[in-house]
Amino acid sequence: MNFDSDTLQLYTQRILELAASIPLVARLSQRDGTAKVRSPLCGSTVAVDVAMRNGRIHRFGQDVKACALGQAAASVVGSNIIGCTRKEVETAGKQLRNMLVHNGDPPTEPFEELSVLLPARNYRNRHASIMLVLDATLEAIENAEQQQADCAAGNNSR
């Protein structure tokens, strides 16, 4: 493969380290919500399962089939997601998208290490893969909330 120097700068040592050590890769057999998101541009996919407790992620599982950038994002998210609320995941997603698309600041705690993906700003075709894990996590949380609402409605109609 022939890589130019810009492409080589994109795949930093830290990105490759993160991609090689994604935590929480076992899918959850008991989950409150699940989602699978695919990037149509590159075919990368991320499936996420969440178990929620008191509005926070209590358990998390992910299956990541993505490039090194998407894997690095999944590694950072997997390392920091336990205990997060929907609002924190939404904020992280907005901040990451803003960092990539609008040259904004990197995400804040607990996802500040997503700043390692700053070199990807100029590679718009990689943005969707980077966003997959947060998009899937948010969708899984929404599915968990919907399931909880459906159960509550079913219990109230008896």
Side-chain angles (χ1 to χ4, degrees), residues 12 14 17 52 73 76 82 94 103 111 117 129 136 144 146 151:
T12 65
R14 184 62 185 144
E17 289 169 359
M52 306 294 292
V76 172
I82 302 299
K94 288 175 185 174
N103 296 324
F111 302 107
L117 297 163
S129 180
Q146 184 61 52
C151 286

Side-chain angles (χ1 to χ4, degrees), residues 89-151:
V89 174
E90 287 174 340
T91 298
K94 288 175 185 174
Q95 290 174 334
L96 181 57
R97 187 169 275 110
N98 188 50
M99 178 188 87
L100 293 170
V101 176
H102 302 293
N103 296 324
D105 292 331
T108 55
E109 286 187 0
F111 302 107
E112 67 275 7
E113 193 172 10
L114 289 170
S115 65
V116 73
L117 297 163
L118 277 167
R121 281 180 169 164
N122 297 327
Y123 297 86
R124 293 195 180 273
N125 59 335
R126 306 292 184 163
H127 293 180
S129 180
I130 293 168
M131 293 301 306
L132 284 176
V133 67
L134 286 170
D135 291 345
T137 302
L138 183 57
E139 188 175 323
I141 293 170
E142 291 168 350
N143 290 338
E145 291 172 347
Q146 184 61 52
Q147 183 177 343
Q148 184 180 21
D150 291 347
C151 286

